Amino acid sequence: AQSVSQHNHHVILSEAASLELGCNYSYGGTVNLFWYVQYPGQHLQLLLKYFSGDPLVKGIKGFEAEFIKSKFSFNLRKPSVQWSDTAEYFCAVNARFSGGYNKLIFGAGTRLAVHP
Amino acid sequence: DGGITQSPKYLFRKEGQNVTLSCEQNLNHDAMYWYRQDPGQGLRLIYYSQIVNDFQKGDIAEGYSVSREKKESFPLTVTSAQKNPTAFYLCASSIWSGRDFQADTQYFGPGTRLTVL
């Protein structure tokens, strides 16, 4: 069965520290990859996405992610976090099934707390 | 101002009652989705609809029902058969591009938090 694994459930960092959140998926077909973010009290927002081309994708607010096909990974990075990055981060994989139906499979999420 | 709206933001239900959660989008998207979010479990798909008057079960459809009478609306009913309905419910929409797989990014509404008393 297709699945998405986020290895860190909770991450605590100080401001200016570097961030890397791991994401691995299990699906052998063509996939699109996403990172969504949910800030406290706000709705789920798209942070960045990978469809094809350059495996290093840049998103909003200084985030980037690297797709490594051989490792089935799509890790999220930011060189220097801010207090405002405190949120829950979800990795998701979009797989195409028969009938043209897209299924977005989510990881369990990583709660990031950034201390001033 | 385009987007997805969900109402109500908070909903309280007594055991044995059915409740309906509203989801409306003005993005002209063909496809709409309902997810349930529980702490530590990410989001799980309840139902989805690619076109009007058609919908399919997702991974956890038991105890839920939907309708898709209009392109912009996809209400979700949580029935008394749902054993553990307390959760955060998210609606999403996307274009449905058929063979153009890469176009189908999903956009989410603000959610409805349902609590069973």
Side-chain angles (χ1 to χ4, degrees):
Chain A
Q2 299 77 27
S3 65
V4 177
S5 298
Q6 291 183 243
H7 311 299
N8 309 101
H9 296 295
H10 292 92
V11 173
I12 302 173
L13 295 173
S14 299
E15 276 193 320
S18 63
L19 170 71
E20 181 161 2
L21 301 182
C23 174
N24 287 88
Y25 66 93
S26 61
Y27 184 70
T30 302
V31 294
N32 294 341
L33 301 161
F34 302 82
W35 276 96
Y36 284 89
V37 60
Q38 193 171 34
Y39 297 104
Q42 296 189 28
H43 63 275
L44 209 61
Q45 302 172 38
L46 182 66
L47 198 56
L48 50 79
K49 60 186 178 183
Y50 172 79
F51 285 169
S52 64
D54 189 344
L56 184 63
V57 293
K58 295 190 182 299
I60 60 172
K61 303 184 180 184
F63 285 91
E64 64 179 31
E66 184 176 13
F67 171 51
I68 303 179
K69 188 174 182 179
S70 61
K71 295 184 178 181
F72 296 89
S73 70
F74 190 55
N75 292 355
L76 181 70
R77 298 194 292 250
K78 186 171 183 178
S80 177
V81 295
Q82 301 172 320
W83 177 79
S84 58
D85 293 324
T86 295
E88 190 161 17
Y89 294 80
F90 293 93
C91 180
V93 173
N94 193 9
R96 173 60 64 90
F97 290 80
S98 60
Y101 150 50
N102 292 336
K103 182 174 180 177
L104 198 58
I105 304 165
F106 283 85
T110 296
R111 286 187 180 272
L112 172 65
V114 180
H115 294 292
Chain B
D1 188 21
I4 303 172
T5 57
Q6 292 186 242
S7 62
K9 186 173 181 179
Y10 297 98
L11 186 58
F12 297 90
R13 189 194 92 173
K14 293 181 180 179
E15 284 193 24
Q17 285 182 335
N18 293 352
V19 289
T20 297
L21 283 59
S22 169
C23 176
E24 304 276 333
Q25 53 97 2
N26 61 4
L27 300 168
N28 199 32
H29 284 170
D30 298 298
M32 296 186 74
Y33 311 81
W34 273 105
Y35 293 89
R36 170 182 170 139
Q37 184 179 8
D38 296 283
Q41 295 192 51
L43 280 72
R44 292 178 291 168
L45 182 66
I46 303 172
Y47 267 98
Y48 69 99
S49 169
Q50 292 172 324
I51 56 172
V52 174
N53 293 322
D54 185 55
F55 49 83
Q56 304 294 331
K57 292 181 179 180
D59 297 322
I60 55 166
E62 185 175 352
Y64 300 98
S65 65
V66 293
S67 63
R68 187 85 187 276
E69 297 177 0
K70 298 186 294 183
K71 185 176 184 178
E72 59 269 24
S73 179
F74 191 41
L76 172 74
T77 297
V78 184
T79 74
S80 57
Q82 168 51 234
K83 299 303 180 189
N84 185 23
T86 294
F88 189 51
Y89 291 87
L90 288 165
C91 179
S93 71
S94 73
I95 64 172
W96 182 57
S97 52
R99 291 185 179 276
D100 188 4
F101 175 44
Q102 295 186 354
D104 304 333
T105 298
Q106 293 186 23
Y107 296 91
F108 287 81
T112 293
R113 189 167 298 279
L114 172 64
T115 302
V116 174
L117 304 173

